[in-house]
Amino acid sequence: MAIDFYRHDLGKAELDAIARVLAGPILTTGETVAEFERRFGEYLGRRHVVGATSCTGALHIALLALGVEPGDEVITTPLTFLATSAAIAQAGAVPVYVDVEPDTGNIDATGVAAAITPRTRAIMPVHLYGQLCDMRALRAVADSRGLAIIEDAAHCVEGERDGVRVGDLSEACCFSFYATKALTSGEGGAVATDDEELAAKLRLLRLHGMTKTAADRAVEGFKAYDMVTLGWKYNMDNVQAAMLLPQLERLDQKLALRELLARRYYEKLSDVPGVQWPAVLPGRHGRHLFTVWVDPTVRDAVLAGMRAAGIPVVVNYRALSFLSYLRETFGIRPGQFPIAERIGESTISLPFYAGMPQEHADLVAAALREVLTAVRSRRTESAAFSRDR
Ligand SMILES: *Cc1c(COP(=O)(O)O)cnc(C)c1O
């Protein structure tokens, strides 16, 4: 029985929605995008959503729209996908890293105040694996120093903590619709905000700084457009939006399946020696990825053993201080974020998606138990061997 790391569940509803777009004249940004923006905004409880081609692009224009300028500093986490930092660099700003909480892997809000300088303009937290950061604490620090918060919510469409939902306490909240995310159009992203002026700026920045779109021209006939600022080419198209719309109906039901799967993993792994996992806080966990932690000295051997056993496993993520470009450009180095680095060297992401059979979790857990036992006994033998010599 082949075990998949991830499988999407797109099918007939999405095909039908795409067919409806193909039957009309507008493939690029138009009515279907507008409808997705409305409906996703309703789901989130936000007044405005601006569809984009990626979360990276969404983060980039959110920074620009909030007035982040070259040389400004943005406080963020060293334990995330590199896109969070890439967006900050694309805006010409400098990522300033604050180490993470040892139990959750999320940015440690208590460390943020100490990292603020006169050049700090914003905080960019990441809700790692789908569990919300301490947004109340981050909002308090941001307010005390006049900073904006831009959430990287690529892992967390559904999350809630301390009565705060994703997007509730930030100026802008960015989502990814990349192939493996909870909502997907293969590639795609969005910014959600309650600020109308900010939403208008984001609409300009996602399409060349132009005052009219192709769909406007189709409706109004040709009217001269202006280019009022430098913009990018990040506009979501109607085909992407069509794929996303039917999935909004399934979001909560799919989260419930992932929650059940996570509980199955906890149950099956609870008596496996040497396996730990991030703490789960009260609230609603977005359950994007399921990661466990093993001793860093055996992690790579366990990864290899799992793959040899036919179980697809990956690492989300090694700390950013190991990435050459960020090291060379921003002067970070291994050793600087001991908690993020330790978690990054301990992490194994296990197969996890809404339609995954529960029995697959049993097989994965059993394989992990066996592989860990084998790796450990090899280590004990080689330790005894070097002692004997
Ligand atoms: C996937 C991901 C991104 C990037 O999303 P794209 O839509 O591929 O640009 C950014 N941040 C995190 C934490 C992610 O997991």
Side-chain angles (χ1 to χ4, degrees):
M1 177 167 20
I3 292 179
D4 295 306
F5 185 78
Y6 174 83
R7 283 182 77 93
H8 72 74
D9 72 337
L10 309 199
K12 178 139 184 8
E14 289 73 25
L15 277 173
D16 291 348
I18 292 169
R20 283 193 291 278
V21 168
L22 300 193
I26 307 285
L27 299 181
T28 181
T29 313
E31 246 322 296
T32 317
V33 172
E35 189 187 345
F36 169 71
E37 292 174 339
R38 264 192 313 275
R39 298 260 312 278
F40 191 44
E42 278 165 25
Y43 177 88
L44 296 167
R46 287 283 82 73
R47 274 200 269 282
H48 305 279
V49 169
V50 177
T53 45
S54 71
C55 182
T56 314
L59 292 165
H60 177 197
I61 56 176
L63 287 160
L64 298 178
L66 283 161
V68 171
E69 291 184 353
D72 285 347
E73 294 174 0
V74 178
I75 295 175
T76 189
T77 170
L79 191 62
T80 176
F81 181 53
L82 56 86
T84 318
S85 283
I88 295 169
Q90 285 162 6
V94 177
V96 170
Y97 299 97
V98 168
D99 208 350
V100 300
E101 301 168 337
D103 55 342
T104 65
N106 274 333
I107 191 167
D108 189 342
T110 60
V112 170
I116 296 172
T117 76
R119 300 247 43 177
T120 309
R121 297 299 305 273
I123 306 171
M124 189 176 279
V126 176
H127 308 304
L128 194 66
Y129 312 140
Q131 180 156 261
L132 248 71
C133 297
D134 188 346
M135 288 302 295
R136 286 187 186 278
L138 290 173
R139 189 69 260 173
V141 184
D143 285 346
S144 73
R145 309 292 288 267
L147 308 178
I149 300 180
I150 300 163
E151 290 172 73
D152 177 341
H155 292 188
C156 188
V157 176
E158 311 92 337
E160 178 177 335
R161 171 176 171 186
D162 307 327
V164 175
R165 284 180 69 193
V166 67
D168 278 354
L169 294 186
S170 60
E171 275 72 10
C173 184
C174 299
F175 297 91
S176 173
F177 309 131
Y178 173 69
T180 58
K181 305 283 161 79
L183 259 175
T184 182
S185 45
E187 302 287 352
V191 190
T193 180
D194 277 339
D195 181 337
E196 182 161 1
E197 211 177 303
L198 188 72
K201 278 188 197 159
L202 290 165
R203 287 181 201 286
L204 283 176
L205 290 171
R206 79 167 166 184
L207 184 60
H208 295 314
M210 276 169 79
T211 52
K212 295 274 173 205
T213 68
D216 293 336
R217 289 196 292 280
V219 175
E220 302 170 0
F222 180 81
K223 291 211 180 126
Y225 53 77
D226 194 9
M227 173 182 177
V228 292
T229 185
L230 178 64
W232 274 260
K233 190 64 176 62
Y234 293 161
N235 55 309
M236 174 180 282
D237 67 46
N238 275 354
V239 180
Q240 290 170 315
M243 256 188 277
L244 293 166
L245 273 164
Q247 296 175 63
L248 290 176
E249 320 282 345
R250 305 199 293 273
L251 264 180
D252 289 340
Q253 175 197 336
K254 283 172 62 182
L255 175 63
L257 288 173
R258 295 198 303 276
E259 184 60 43
L260 280 177
L261 196 60
R263 290 190 192 166
R264 183 83 160 223
Y265 266 135
Y266 292 141
E267 183 196 323
K268 298 289 169 179
L269 292 170
S270 60
D271 63 344
V272 179
V275 178
Q276 293 173 299
W277 45 78
V280 178
L281 307 173
R284 202 156 108 119
H285 191 309
R287 293 290 178 204
H288 171 53
L289 289 166
F290 191 89
T291 62
V292 294
W293 297 335
V294 300
D295 191 308
T297 61
V298 300
R299 195 274 306 271
D300 288 350
V302 174
L303 283 174
M306 292 293 278
R307 289 197 192 114
I311 313 277
V313 285
V314 299
V315 174
N316 306 94
Y317 301 91
R318 296 185 77 209
L320 298 182
S321 38
F322 291 102
L323 300 182
S324 307
Y325 178 81
L326 298 176
R327 277 193 349 220
E328 287 156 19
T329 311
F330 301 115
I332 55 173
R333 57 193 187 283
Q336 214 173 342
F337 313 111
I339 304 170
E341 288 165 21
R342 165 134 192 131
I343 292 176
E345 298 312 293
S346 308
T347 294
I348 299 177
S349 305
L350 302 180
F352 193 70
Y353 58 93
M356 180 168 137
Q358 299 255 322
E359 307 77 62
H360 284 201
D362 303 351
L363 294 171
V364 172
L368 185 58
R369 181 195 299 271
E370 268 179 42
V371 167
L372 260 169
T373 309
V375 167
R376 285 215 171 119
S377 68
R378 272 210 303 279
R379 267 166 51 93
T380 317
E381 275 164 30
S382 71
F385 177 71
S386 23
R387 238 188 356 258
D388 291 347
R389 296 212 309 171

